[in-house]
């Protein structure tokens, strides 16, 4: 998304994240020879956990490849999808237990907000 945002921001699941890409984009471009966008996003995630009392500390490893192409559309499940289709999508990428799926969805939704799910409401908490 950070590299191919002109394409990927048109996907429904990515609505509302253009503001953060506007913030991190200049940093990613400035340091493109040192750190890939994937490394930056992973580092940001690892560092953000440090700010949460009781959160796990995760190691950070550099070395992700530069992105080569935009993601295909509709890889991220929508909030209006059926539970079966959401579970199927998570299974396709290696999350096979209910605990794993709930951990990923619950963790990401606990720290995120939606700008474009409900018209007129910005920063609406997911949970």
């Amino acid at each position: 998304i950070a590299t191919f945002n002109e394409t990927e921001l048109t996907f429904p699941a990515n609505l509302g994240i253009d503001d953060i890409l506007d913030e991190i984009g200049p940093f990613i471009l400035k340091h493109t020879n040192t750190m890939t966008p994937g490394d930056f996003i992973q580092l940001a995630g690892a560092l953000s956990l440090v700010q949460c009392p009781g959160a796990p500390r995760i190691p950070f490893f550099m070395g992700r490849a530069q992105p080569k192409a935009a993601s295909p559309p509709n890889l991220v499940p929508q909030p209006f999808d059926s539970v079966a289709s959401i579970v199927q999508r998570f299974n396709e990428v290696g999350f096979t237990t209910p605990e794993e799926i709930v951990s990923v969805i619950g963790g990401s939704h606990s720290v995120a907000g939606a700008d474009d799910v409900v018209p007129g409401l910005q920063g609406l908490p997911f949970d």
Side-chain angles (χ1 to χ4, degrees):
I1 296 172
T3 302
F4 301 102
N5 54 37
E6 288 185 21
T7 300
E8 295 189 34
L9 287 177
T10 65
F11 304 163
N14 297 335
L15 290 176
I17 64 169
D18 54 326
D19 52 348
I20 190 62
L21 291 175
D22 290 343
E23 294 290 326
I24 66 171
F27 180 89
I28 290 173
L29 287 173
K30 180 178 179 181
H31 299 285
T32 192
N33 292 328
T34 306
M35 180 179 284
T36 67
D39 282 339
F40 173 78
I41 291 168
Q42 178 63 28
L43 177 62
L47 289 175
S48 69
L49 285 173
V50 173
Q51 303 302 313
C52 300
R57 301 301 188 248
I58 60 172
F60 168 71
F61 301 100
M62 285 186 71
R64 288 159 190 81
Q66 289 287 352
K68 296 180 181 174
S71 165
N74 303 318
L75 290 181
V76 177
Q78 298 295 302
F80 311 108
D81 289 347
S82 70
V83 171
S85 69
I86 293 171
V87 169
Q88 177 184 344
R89 180 63 190 129
F90 274 87
N91 289 167
E92 291 169 359
V93 295
F95 295 96
T96 58
T97 68
E99 292 83 6
E100 291 173 328
I101 296 169
V102 168
S103 293
V104 171
I105 293 174
S108 63
H109 286 191
S110 293
V111 298
D115 288 341
D116 296 301
V117 175
V118 178
L121 294 177
Q122 296 280 319
L124 187 67
F126 280 132
D127 53 348

